[in-house]
Amino acid sequence: MYQSCQVAQKDPKDPRIDSFKGFVLLEVLLAMSLILGVWMALVGTYQNLALRTTQTESKRAQLRVEFDKVETSERARANAKANSKGLIHESSRVSSRNRTKHATSQSTVKNKR
């Protein structure tokens, strides 16, 4: 039932073993350089994206400030226009063509006497 298995002993002086170790080392170096290259590319992409986002946000903030200034000046100009128009007839609050032309002692309704 049990079969004896023979284990092959490796000869440390065999030159093929040294060449396999060199090949494995080359594979490891190649894999590490690929990983490092991909990592550096991703970091560069992330930095570029972060820079663009920061620039976009600063432009938005600047545009908001400029828009607020324009809006405030327009509102002030509109209020000044409304106030100047309102001050012309401030005492009567009625335009001059709508004022009555009769004296206060006279009756406002004709043929009332």
Side-chain angles (χ1 to χ4, degrees):
M1 285 215 162
Y2 292 104
Q3 294 181 353
S4 63
C5 58
Q6 298 176 352
V7 177
Q9 300 257 334
K10 293 181 183 176
D11 185 17
K13 295 180 182 178
D14 190 11
R16 290 181 294 168
I17 293 175
D18 289 335
S19 66
F20 287 131
K21 284 183 182 178
F23 183 70
V24 171
L25 181 63
L26 182 64
E27 284 181 339
V28 169
L29 288 175
L30 181 64
M32 288 175 62
S33 66
L34 286 174
I35 290 170
L36 182 64
V38 169
W39 178 256
M40 289 177 65
L42 287 175
V43 167
T45 303
Y46 176 76
Q47 286 179 342
N48 191 10
L49 181 63
L51 179 65
R52 284 185 185 176
T53 304
T54 304
Q55 288 174 344
T56 304
E57 287 300 319
S58 66
K59 284 180 184 178
R60 279 186 191 162
Q62 184 180 4
L63 286 174
R64 257 188 238 123
V65 168
E66 290 177 12
F67 179 73
D68 288 344
K69 285 180 184 177
V70 169
E71 188 176 336
T72 304
S73 67
E74 287 295 318
R75 184 175 294 158
R77 192 177 73 166
N79 285 342
K81 252 188 194 177
N83 286 341
S84 66
K85 285 181 180 179
L87 290 177
I88 293 173
H89 304 292
E90 183 67 28
S91 61
S92 66
R93 295 259 184 208
V94 178
S95 67
S96 61
R97 63 185 158 161
N98 290 336
R99 291 186 190 158
T100 56
K101 302 292 182 190
H102 58 81
T104 56
S105 62
Q106 294 177 352
S107 170
T108 56
V109 179
K110 293 183 180 180
N111 300 326
K112 183 118 186 185
R113 296 190 208 176

